[in-house]
Every structure is written in C-alpha cells, then in structure tokens.
Amino acid sequence: MTDFDFAIVGAGIAGASLAAELAEGGASVCVLEAEDQPGYHSTGRSAAFWEECYGGPEIVPLTLASGPYLRENGFLTKRGALYIGRDEDAGALDAFMERFADTGATIERLGRDRLEARLPGLKEEWTGAIWEPACADIDVAGLHAHYLSRARKAGVDLKCRSRVVSATRAGGTWTIRTESGDETIAETLVNAAGAWADGLAQMAGAQPVGIGPLRRTVVQLRTDPAPLPDQPLVLDISGRFYFKPEAGRLWLSPHDEVPSEPCDAAPEELDVATAIDRLQQVVDWDIVGLERRWAGLRSFAPDRRPVYGWDPEVAGFAWFAGQGGYGIQTSPAAARLAGQILLGRARDRMTEQLDASLYDPARFA
C-alpha cells in the first residue's frame, strides 16, 4: 500500500501550486523540499512582475489564463511596461508588434513624445517603445504562501530538509529516499525540482529533456531622482536590461542568462557592473548607492517552453518543470492544467483554451 498518490519534489511556486491542485482534487500528496524552507531558490528571488508577452507567444496563453485568478485574489498591482528602443531598433519594435499581434496581449506602439512622458530623464537616443498597460507587480511571497496554505488545508504533507538521493520503482510504486534516510512511498513521482529537474529525472531512470539553469542577476539601487512610484517596468527591446521601482528604490537586471550548474546562485561582480553601465546609457539619473545584489536560476527546456505532464517512457513519472522566468506569473493556469492532466480530469474555464501539447514531455521523445 502506498503512502501517497503523488510525491512532488520541490516546494517552490511549481511544487506548491501543483500540490494544492492535486490535493483539492482528492489525491493524497507529499512534497519533498531539499532546503530548510519552501521557495528558497528561484521563487524567492523573482523580480516579481506579470507581463503578458514575457516568454513569447506560446507562453502568453498561460499568462492570460492566470491573470483573472491573480487579480481576483489580490496578487497584482497595476504598473504597465515599456519595451524601449533607439532608431536602429525600429525593426525590432515592429517585429515585436507583429509577433504578438494575434496573441491577445494588449500592446501599443509609442513615439518619443509619449515615451518621455512615462519615463522622465530618458536619454534622447531612445526614441520608440511598445506600451503594455496590463503589466503588473506580483506579490510573489503572498502568492507562494497562498498555495502553501491551500495545500496544507487540503492535507498535503510538506517535508523540508528532505533532499532526494534516490528514487526507484517496483510493483507500481516509487520508493523515494532522502539524505536523512527517510523513505516515502508514492504511486506517482512528480518532478518540480526546477534547476535540478534533469538530475532528478536521471535518478528516476527517465531521459533528461535538456532543462538548463541560467543565472539571472538583480541589483537594488538608490538613485537621484528616485524612481516614481507609478513608473513602468522598462525593458530593452534587444534584451540587455530591465528595471522597475520597488519601495522607493530601483530594481535593475542586465537580463543576463549565464549557464550554470544547479546551485545556490550568487551574483558576479562583472554582471553587477554591466547592469549599472547599461542603466547609465538609458537615463540621466545619478546612482547614489548599491544596496543589494542577488541572483537566481531560471531553468529552460531547449525550446524554452515548460514541461508539463506524464513522461513518455517511465511509468508513474511526471514533469512540472522548465518554467524559465515565467513560472510565477503562469502558476494558476499551469498548475490547474497539470493537475487536470495528472488526475485525468476535464478542463475548466481557466484551462479550456490551453494547448497542452505545447508543453507535453513527449515532444522530446
């Protein structure tokens, strides 16, 4: 007899949200988390925004489907976003508009006059932009706690300090062992291990799909003038930076994607310096102080689409990984969809328009 219907490895936003969906669907669920607390890695280091076009057209449906849930539960605060460019970037701005024209995202092309009004101090060479009025800040900690609370109320057994060291299957059940020597028996093993997803797959005898962790750096700056509280998220159309206000300070990233081993990511001095240099090429603000710096790992499959569903070769093994930097903003719809797949349930209003084949692990078989 099994201890649980599902054992989920990882208690970040992926594992927490899926655990809640599965348990509320009537399944018995255990979540095994390697760290002392849930959300220590990518979830706890997010730049915390919901942006309709983030991740590309194939991610937009997940983002849009998640929006109503996030808004209705109070996790979004409207901010707006600007993708900015110079004269030489006009083609890239046009291509962006064309790429997302039929996705349902709300986007508008702006010239220099309307751009400058939204971003005081912008240097004159930045002449065009795309405006996304629906972009919002996400209360990441609140959302993660919300899913953990839902999971707990539904009877999920969360076990922290439970780093998995082996997973073997016999007689239709998994035996999952941790560093401390504890064993968990489950019918289904779910891979929500983030940067460690491919390693867990190998441990379970499944074929890795090529999920690679990429390091992303963020710094917190004091500037003069301070960013306006309602200033939009600003992103480079060429993907070299983004920045946004946060409690009177500025959060800035060089939009780096540095391949990394799965680890407790830390910022590199060169990446911090690069971020500051790029900001100084955009706005006429003085940098008064560098207050914080941190890094997190964003894990992508080779096609940069998430991996949701049953492994095509290993029975009882499922994937909920490869969510890149958009796992938080898509979590309501992604977890609902994955829960329906794993429980064999029909779609509902949140998921009825989603094409699950885009995210199926079988695409790598």
Side-chain angles (χ1 to χ4, degrees), residues 262-306:
C263 66
D264 185 356
E268 299 284 344
E269 288 300 327
L270 178 59
D271 297 323
V272 171
T274 297
I276 293 171
D277 177 66
R278 291 176 180 175
L279 177 69
Q280 292 175 322
Q281 296 174 33
V282 180
V283 289
D284 287 321
W285 304 342
D286 292 329
I287 296 173
V288 179
L290 169 59
E291 294 186 337
R292 292 176 57 206
R293 65 192 84 189
W294 67 95
L297 297 180
R298 306 160 75 252
S299 302
F300 291 95
D303 59 8
R304 298 181 79 89
R305 301 201 303 266

Side-chain angles (χ1 to χ4, degrees), residues 136-334:
D137 292 342
I138 303 179
D139 177 3
V140 176
L143 179 62
H144 190 214
H146 166 79
Y147 276 118
L148 290 170
S149 176
R150 277 180 52 187
R152 183 177 60 254
K153 290 176 182 177
V156 171
D157 187 357
L158 171 61
K159 300 179 180 181
C160 292
R161 296 177 292 279
S162 296
R163 187 177 302 277
V164 174
V165 294
S166 72
T168 55
R169 184 171 172 85
T173 62
W174 290 94
T175 299
I176 305 146
R177 295 181 176 86
T178 66
E179 277 184 343
S180 64
D182 290 340
E183 288 189 355
T184 298
I185 310 298
E187 183 176 338
T188 298
L189 175 60
V190 182
N191 186 353
W196 288 263
D198 266 7
L200 179 66
Q202 288 180 302
M203 190 183 298
Q207 186 68 29
V209 300
I211 291 176
L214 302 174
R215 190 178 71 241
R216 170 63 52 86
T217 305
V218 183
V219 299
Q220 177 174 298
L221 303 175
R222 246 179 332 120
T223 63
D224 184 18
L228 300 174
D230 60 351
Q231 184 179 296
L233 168 70
V234 179
L235 309 99
D236 177 23
I237 193 64
S238 299
R240 298 174 65 250
F241 58 79
Y242 60 78
F243 56 87
K244 56 168 275 192
E246 183 69 25
R249 302 295 191 257
L250 191 76
W251 280 10
L252 165 70
S253 172
H255 212 273
D256 49 335
E257 291 191 342
V258 182
S260 172
E261 293 297 316
C263 66
D264 185 356
E268 299 284 344
E269 288 300 327
L270 178 59
D271 297 323
V272 171
T274 297
I276 293 171
D277 177 66
R278 291 176 180 175
L279 177 69
Q280 292 175 322
Q281 296 174 33
V282 180
V283 289
D284 287 321
W285 304 342
D286 292 329
I287 296 173
V288 179
L290 169 59
E291 294 186 337
R292 292 176 57 206
R293 65 192 84 189
W294 67 95
L297 297 180
R298 306 160 75 252
S299 302
F300 291 95
D303 59 8
R304 298 181 79 89
R305 301 201 303 266
V307 188
Y308 303 149
W310 295 106
D311 188 89
E313 297 177 356
V314 176
F317 185 74
W319 294 79
F320 195 55
Q323 300 190 92
Y326 36 79
I328 295 168
Q329 71 173 38
T330 62
S331 56

